[in-house]
Amino acid sequence: MGPRNVLRDYIARPTGHPFRNTLSLLFEIKNFKTFLSHHKFIGTGSFKVPEPELEFSYLCDSRNRDEIMKNITNRKGVGDIDKVLHLHNSYLKDENNLTKTNMLKEMLKIPNRTHPAVLAHGEEPKVVKRIEKKINFDFKPKLFHEIANSMKLLRNDISLFTGHRSYFFVEQLSKLESAMIKHSVSKLIKAGFHLVSVPDILDRAVIESCGMETRGQRSQVYSLSSVHGSDKCLSGTAEMALAAYLMNNEIHPSQLPLRLVAVSRCYRAETSSTSEERGIYRVHQFTKVEMFGVSEPEQSSELLDQFRDWQVNHFADLGLDLQVMDMPPHELGAQAYRKYDVEAWLPAKQIWAELSSCSDCTDYQSRRLNIRSNGRFVHTVNGTACAVPRLLIALFEQHQQRDGSVLIPPSLQTYMGGATHISKDNNHHLPALRPMKRLSKKT
């Protein structure tokens, strides 16, 4: 793609593009040279993942060695700061490119720093807020799958042709899924989020730049067979595609904080075998509404609080018992500086279970994907607005009735054709299916 065509496409982007709302055409042309210098054009215009620009002054300073080592230990993650320092010293002596490459690989394994307040939590999360609707049952509450199966709304005995941890939602359960997604997206757009449709297949380098392992036994990422020399994976969350959308871009300060939302299918190679996470709680493929934010470095803590408060208000509006947890270091993954989990009460099992989370990743992702504002690396924040299976579980279990029906929260009824309940009486089933046994031929 030649520069003239690139300039034409750059200027002619849709007016709904989040960067076009307040930036003038003059500003875009003025910064076109910066745009070209930040992008690598390959074939029809795809962008190459940039070489990470990590914080060398911090990671390669031996005076920070103990602090970094302690952070790695607290987070129970990978990373060897001693190897980084050794390779750095070797590179200073001979400036060998192979040494520099190996040093960079080791630096990429070092996790993000941890918020000082989180360090005081030790091994346990801290409850920072609780919203209890005081739901009292005068009967023994049932599990989600018991309720759904009694109304023939769920089928997850399908391991023979789609794999373990898969499911079908039928009729009203499928309609409720759609209602939850539409309701979440509608509220986010009203709150100033820009809706983006994202791909489910991403370059391996993008996923790794966002802080997810794509290889090894600990990885939850599905790798695809090599096609025409490509190295692709299935996305586990829209967060990574949204980050890739902003890759190699300079965002004008007037656009910050930038808030994006996407609906996508998420693919995860889950391996949990605990009884609490059976059924559809932890599955290989599900639909999720994801929030993604970009801010100036000084604003990410405030943006994280906004994401968390939006989640709490959204789920409370659905009539759910909730609690918010400030998560300890070992629950942060490699990328998060701080993370909050929002948990819902599951009355049948008498446990709190994660419903969603939100994280402040500071400049961990932006340094790896080259996302800047005013020359500085921005901070990124992400959060789940609606993870369908888990939200369905919470809604069914907390809103179940003695007669086996389930109350539909008022805010979702508009998207359900005005229905107030999910029950056998108002459910139109698909044609009954009767499994057939394969008969062996006589010889």
Side-chain angles (χ1 to χ4, degrees):
M1 178 181 289
R4 179 174 298 176
N5 291 333
V6 173
L7 177 59
R8 179 200 63 202
D9 292 343
Y10 180 69
I11 294 175
R13 288 175 299 174
T15 56
H17 191 287
F19 303 144
R20 289 279 294 187
N21 292 342
T22 60
L23 294 183
S24 67
L25 181 62
L26 178 62
F27 175 81
E28 295 199 23
I29 295 176
K30 179 181 177 182
N31 285 275
F32 182 62
K33 289 184 178 179
T34 302
F35 174 82
L36 282 178
S37 66
H38 283 174
H39 289 76
K40 305 293 185 182
F41 292 95
I42 305 171
T44 58
S46 59
F47 297 150
K48 182 179 180 181
V49 176
E51 180 176 309
E53 196 167 325
L54 304 179
E55 198 174 0
F56 285 85
S57 60
Y58 174 72
L59 294 174
C60 296
D61 189 338
S62 59
R63 292 172 295 184
N64 299 323
R65 184 263 178 197
D66 291 346
E67 176 184 309
I68 297 172
M69 177 66 78
K70 184 177 181 180
N71 187 47
I72 294 171
T73 302
N74 286 339
R75 295 171 76 121
K76 294 180 171 57
V78 297
D80 189 338
I81 188 58
D82 289 332
K83 187 177 289 188
V84 170
L85 294 173
H86 172 74
L87 289 168
H88 178 250
N89 290 333
S90 298
Y91 179 71
L92 290 177
K93 294 177 182 178
D94 59 17
E95 295 189 358
N96 182 281
N97 286 334
L98 179 59
T99 302
K100 180 182 178 181
T101 298
N102 290 333
M103 178 182 69
L104 185 60
K105 287 181 180 179
E106 293 300 324
M107 292 176 71
L108 288 170
K109 297 177 184 178
I110 305 297
N112 199 353
R113 302 187 205 192
T114 304
H115 192 290
V118 175
L119 295 173
H121 298 345
E123 297 282 321
E124 297 298 324
K126 178 183 178 182
V127 179
V128 297
K129 190 171 187 177
R130 182 167 286 173
I131 298 177
E132 296 183 90
K133 302 295 182 179
K134 302 298 182 183
I135 301 174
N136 295 311
F137 294 95
D138 59 358
F139 60 93
K140 183 179 179 181
K142 296 180 179 180
L143 297 167
F144 164 78
H145 71 269
E146 294 175 329
I147 305 169
N149 285 334
S150 69
M151 291 187 276
K152 299 181 180 180
L153 300 177
L154 171 71
R155 186 179 176 193
N156 60 347
D157 57 334
I158 52 178
S159 59
L160 287 178
F161 54 94
T162 60
H164 183 49
R165 298 183 183 277
S166 301
Y167 57 84
F168 284 114
F169 292 155
V170 180
E171 289 293 343
Q172 286 193 305
L173 189 55
S174 182
K175 292 177 182 177
L176 184 59
E177 174 185 39
S178 177
M180 287 162 26
I181 294 168
K182 291 177 181 177
H183 177 56
S184 300
V185 171
S186 176
K187 288 183 67 175
L188 286 166
I189 291 176
K190 289 179 182 177
F193 283 74
H194 300 275
L195 182 61
V196 182
S197 181
V198 299
D200 294 333
I201 299 175
L202 297 174
D203 191 275
R204 184 184 302 276
V206 168
I207 295 176
E208 292 179 346
S209 294
C210 289
M212 297 291 293
E213 297 180 19
T214 65
R215 296 180 173 90
Q217 292 183 343
R218 298 180 62 181
S219 174
Q220 293 184 340
V221 177
Y222 283 110
S223 297
L224 301 179
S225 300
S226 178
V227 179
H228 306 302
S230 64
D231 193 8
K232 309 296 182 185
C233 300
L234 293 177
S235 174
T237 170
E239 167 199 343
M240 296 178 287
L242 291 171
Y245 175 74
L246 300 174
M247 180 177 67
N248 286 325
N249 271 290
E250 178 94 13
I251 306 173
H252 194 272
S254 65
Q255 295 298 112
L256 299 178
L258 177 66
R259 300 175 179 87
L260 306 177
V261 57
V263 182
S264 75
R265 295 293 278 175
C266 303
Y267 303 86
R268 300 183 184 180
E270 299 285 5
T271 58
S272 173
S273 59
T274 62
S275 60
E276 289 80 6
E277 297 182 347
R278 290 176 184 167
I280 68 165
Y281 182 83
R282 203 175 282 279
V283 291
H284 291 319
Q285 178 180 338
F286 62 98
T287 303
K288 180 156 72 83
V289 181
E290 181 75 1
M291 304 180 290
F292 189 79
V294 180
S295 75
E296 298 278 14
E298 301 80 12
Q299 296 177 321
S300 63
S301 178
E302 180 183 354
L303 188 60
L304 176 66
D305 289 345
Q306 292 174 6
F307 276 32
R308 178 200 62 200
D309 293 344
W310 188 94
Q311 290 173 322
V312 171
N313 292 334
H314 177 55
F315 297 134
D317 180 54
L318 298 176
L320 298 177
D321 280 7
L322 307 167
Q323 67 177 11
V324 182
M325 315 292 286
D326 193 2
M327 302 308 288
H330 70 275
E331 295 282 358
L332 301 182
Q335 66 273 34
Y337 176 66
R338 189 173 201 171
K339 183 177 84 160
Y340 292 104
D341 278 5
V342 180
E343 298 183 338
W345 178 248
L346 301 185
K349 294 181 179 178
Q350 294 286 295
I351 61 171
W352 291 98
E354 181 189 343
L355 193 62
S356 69
S357 65
C358 56
S359 302
D360 179 1
C361 297
T362 62
D363 61 358
Y364 183 95
Q365 295 172 336
S366 63
R367 284 182 174 275
R368 288 158 170 78
L369 294 172
N370 189 29
I371 310 172
R372 304 172 187 251
S373 178
N374 254 356
R376 297 194 300 170
F377 288 108
V378 297
H379 282 194
T380 59
V381 176
N382 64 78
T384 301
C386 171
V388 167
R390 295 183 180 185
L391 186 52
L392 280 176
I393 292 172
L395 288 174
F396 262 57
E397 293 199 14
Q398 289 198 29
H399 295 328
Q400 61 181 294
Q401 305 297 297
R402 173 180 282 277
D403 62 2
S405 66
V406 176
L407 287 175
I408 301 173
S411 56
L412 296 180
Q413 291 174 12
T414 301
Y415 304 95
M416 295 285 290
T420 59
H421 292 72
I422 293 177
S423 67
K424 293 180 180 179
D425 295 336
N426 59 7
N427 186 43
H428 302 287
H429 299 303
L430 290 174
L433 303 176
R434 185 171 63 183
M436 292 189 302
K437 294 183 179 180
R438 184 181 295 274
L439 301 176
S440 58
K441 295 182 179 180
K442 293 183 178 180
T443 57

